[in-house]
Amino acid sequence: MCGIVGYIGKRESQNILIEGLKKLEYRGYDSAGVAVYTTEGLQVKKSKGRLAVLESKLEEAPLSGTIGIGHTRWATHGKPSDVNSHPHTDNSHKFSVVHNGIIENYISLKEELAAQGHVFVSETDTEVISHLIASLYEGDIVKAVQKAVSRMKGAFALGVLTEFEPDKLVAVRLASPLIIGVGEGENFIGSDIPAILEYTRNVYILNDGEMAVLTREGVELMTLEGNFISRELFHVDWDIVTAEKGGFDHFMLKEIHEQPKAYRDTMGARIDASGKKVVLPEIGMTPEQIRSIRQVHIVACGTAFHAGLVGKTVIEQLARIPVETDVASEYRYRSPIITPETLVIVVSQSGETADTLAALREAKKCGARVLAITNVVGSSVSREADDVIVTWAGPEIAVASTKAYTSQLIAFYLLGLYLAQTLETKSEAYIAEVIAGLQELPQKVEKILEGAEAIKEVAEQISTHDNLFFIGRGLDYAVALEGSLKLKEISYIHSEAYAAGELKHGTLALIEEGVPVIALATQEDLFEKTVSNIKEVTARGAHVFGIHHEGETELAKVVDQVYAIPGTQPLLTPALSVIPLQLLSYYASLARGNDVDKPRNLAKSVTVE
């Protein structure tokens, strides 16, 4: 996820671009840049780091001009650096592009353009766009962009400038958000409404497959094929703070609702065109090296550790390799048995978690290969690991992780399937079936989010309690641990998660009349045993809220309230069953009057041991 902004009018564009980027910095903050058409032609300034670094450069050497584009980056292709920052230009520096999204076929396009003599200077997929547009330009920037877009696969929102037509700003949307702001004698583009709200409250919201051509005099909307579109302006009556949150009350709720997109983006180009095979070019292990793996260690902290618990089951079931899952803060101190045949998987949202970094370094010292799953390109974990799977969830602002966690689950599914393909531990038909299930998850998450009101009612009930229990078996237990952590983090309700079969070994002593119990019962092979455990707590007066699959009718007979998630393969269920638990935590915290996005005593990234 990145933020883009553009301006054409009569005012100095540099200041407007910088102010717009400040409002979008929550979408990405590892680098920033602007391109402005000046009396000396198209000029670009960009730099690694927070927006303040770029702002300082521009104060020393301003760019004067009334048309420009800007970008704040969250890296997906290429580490954060000056050269990888946007905007990108072609070799002539006559065309400039800012981009939010992913170009899935950029490698083949890059090879084709290189054969024509184009020289690339960055590691990004975006630079390919500027070269492609330049190669197709025949005097009409709109047609050149249309031709370029017809050859690109993936998700993108684009802002395009050319020195040859300095009176036009071209914008394109395909599966990445983009809005057009309409002013008097000036017009704007932005990834989100906050970027332009200081200057106008009249906007066009582009739909997928649409583009806009902005001049000082007006805006033309059209399809990517060039058919003109007529649309009424939307008047924004939100304040800026609300607009930054996309109309949601809190960043956490916004990020919960961004999960379908995060799922799609993380899968992205990692599923081939046939939809039957996983492709992970970022993993450099040869088939022989994969076959030499004798054990896997998954090491992580907090929410990432819970993703690792799901990953353990996924890898063991799909690849049939034994897996241990460890809390990173304990890993080094138990003298783990690590050999060159051990694959160590470290999981960290930020890629800077101190305990996880220490575990990574210990594993490498012992000769193990290290694979990182992280949400931040260029982070310490991603730089030091041998292989990296980046989760394309975009920046997460709320302290309590939601979309970063579920994107880690998607990464584990992809990895498990990739290992199974290589080791031939599962049939091609089975792998294709699981991939099909993966691709259906975003739509099913959307369906759960549509039913959030039912979760809100339960959350308001439990918000009056001081103690709560989560129970589940198998993968349901792993999800119960994450649900319990979320609730503790932001509602401050004391909560514990237990493997349901362990209740009779001591925990039942804590169950008393009216105590809420959240029971997950989504695993078909463990369903009857889970129901038996639920009966143990209801017999002692617990009030049970059960989560099961649609179409299952038995659970409702033994619990007080039920919530049904869409059906999927048992292995994929955690990517759905955790969503109502995230909502439960959010609404319980809200009911208790807490600061949802910034819970007490916690930080987003833990960079000390």
Side-chain angles (χ1 to χ4, degrees), residues 21-188:
L21 292 177
K22 286 179 180 178
K23 302 299 190 301
L24 295 178
E25 200 169 10
Y26 66 88
R27 296 182 63 88
Y29 39 75
D30 58 45
S31 56
V34 297
V36 175
Y37 179 73
T38 72
T39 55
E40 298 177 359
L42 200 57
Q43 301 289 312
V44 175
K45 286 265 179 81
K46 54 186 183 175
S47 61
K48 175 186 173 182
R50 292 277 186 166
L51 185 58
V53 179
L54 174 67
E55 195 171 9
S56 178
K57 281 187 177 181
L58 290 170
E59 285 175 359
E60 293 175 5
L63 298 178
S64 179
T66 58
I67 177 172
I69 51 178
H71 188 273
T72 182
R73 185 172 186 242
W74 181 262
T76 53
H77 290 77
K79 64 186 179 183
S81 67
D82 287 359
V83 73
N84 286 334
S85 306
H86 300 211
H88 285 283
T89 62
D90 69 310
N91 292 145
S92 72
H93 299 281
K94 304 292 186 185
F95 297 84
S96 186
V97 173
V98 288
H99 166 222
N100 173 30
I102 297 164
I103 306 303
E104 296 174 3
N105 62 332
Y106 84 99
I107 293 176
S108 60
L109 290 172
K110 187 173 184 177
E111 290 171 347
E112 177 186 326
L113 290 162
Q116 296 173 13
H118 291 258
V119 178
F120 294 86
V121 298
S122 79
E123 304 168 283
T124 69
D125 55 343
T126 303
E127 189 186 0
V128 171
I129 304 171
S130 56
H131 287 264
L132 182 61
I133 292 171
S135 72
L136 298 169
Y137 185 71
E138 296 178 341
D140 188 328
I141 187 59
V142 176
K143 289 183 179 178
V145 170
Q146 289 170 338
K147 289 177 184 177
V149 166
S150 71
R151 301 203 53 204
M152 291 155 46
K153 296 179 182 178
F156 42 86
L158 306 177
V160 182
L161 283 181
T162 178
E163 189 174 307
F164 296 120
E165 299 179 56
D167 58 344
K168 290 178 184 174
L169 170 56
V170 181
V172 178
R173 174 183 177 173
L174 186 66
S176 288
L178 196 65
I179 59 99
I180 310 297
V182 179
E184 294 184 8
E186 58 184 5
N187 294 297
F188 311 79

Side-chain angles (χ1 to χ4, degrees), residues 61-328:
L63 298 178
S64 179
T66 58
I67 177 172
I69 51 178
H71 188 273
T72 182
R73 185 172 186 242
W74 181 262
T76 53
H77 290 77
K79 64 186 179 183
S81 67
D82 287 359
V83 73
N84 286 334
S85 306
H86 300 211
H88 285 283
T89 62
D90 69 310
N91 292 145
S92 72
H93 299 281
K94 304 292 186 185
F95 297 84
S96 186
V97 173
V98 288
H99 166 222
N100 173 30
I102 297 164
I103 306 303
E104 296 174 3
N105 62 332
Y106 84 99
I107 293 176
S108 60
L109 290 172
K110 187 173 184 177
E111 290 171 347
E112 177 186 326
L113 290 162
Q116 296 173 13
H118 291 258
V119 178
F120 294 86
V121 298
S122 79
E123 304 168 283
T124 69
D125 55 343
T126 303
E127 189 186 0
V128 171
I129 304 171
S130 56
H131 287 264
L132 182 61
I133 292 171
S135 72
L136 298 169
Y137 185 71
E138 296 178 341
D140 188 328
I141 187 59
V142 176
K143 289 183 179 178
V145 170
Q146 289 170 338
K147 289 177 184 177
V149 166
S150 71
R151 301 203 53 204
M152 291 155 46
K153 296 179 182 178
F156 42 86
L158 306 177
V160 182
L161 283 181
T162 178
E163 189 174 307
F164 296 120
E165 299 179 56
D167 58 344
K168 290 178 184 174
L169 170 56
V170 181
V172 178
R173 174 183 177 173
L174 186 66
S176 288
L178 196 65
I179 59 99
I180 310 297
V182 179
E184 294 184 8
E186 58 184 5
N187 294 297
F188 311 79
I189 67 172
S191 293
D192 274 350
I193 288 171
I196 55 90
L197 205 51
E198 183 178 342
Y199 308 104
T200 180
R201 289 181 172 270
N202 295 318
V203 304
Y204 292 118
I205 299 174
L206 292 186
N207 296 321
D208 280 350
E210 294 181 351
M211 63 185 297
V213 181
L214 288 70
T215 63
R216 291 172 179 83
E217 292 73 33
V219 176
E220 288 183 335
L221 304 182
M222 63 185 75
T223 66
L224 297 181
E225 294 73 34
N227 299 316
F228 289 99
I229 299 166
S230 177
R231 179 170 299 146
E232 289 186 11
L233 281 168
F234 172 71
H235 182 76
V236 180
D237 54 11
W238 314 328
D239 61 31
I240 287 180
V241 173
T242 303
E244 286 178 351
K245 296 171 183 172
F248 293 99
D249 291 334
H250 297 91
F251 279 109
M252 182 180 178
L253 187 59
K254 178 176 182 281
E255 288 156 9
I256 289 172
H257 281 260
E258 286 174 342
Q259 286 175 117
K261 182 180 185 303
Y263 284 27
R264 292 185 179 103
D265 287 349
T266 300
M267 286 183 244
R270 292 164 172 157
I271 295 173
D272 75 356
S274 72
K276 297 180 180 180
K277 188 176 180 180
V278 170
V279 182
L280 290 179
E282 53 265 70
I283 292 181
M285 285 182 285
T286 65
E288 290 73 24
Q289 288 173 314
I290 290 174
R291 283 191 282 269
S292 73
I293 297 170
R294 294 293 173 263
Q295 61 177 342
V296 174
H297 292 177
I298 299 174
V299 186
C301 300
T303 285
F305 172 73
H306 296 154
L309 291 174
V310 176
K312 169 184 168 67
T313 298
V314 168
I315 292 171
E316 287 188 339
Q317 287 195 13
L318 293 176
R320 307 307 297 160
I321 302 172
V323 181
E324 296 180 16
T325 307
D326 274 272
V327 176

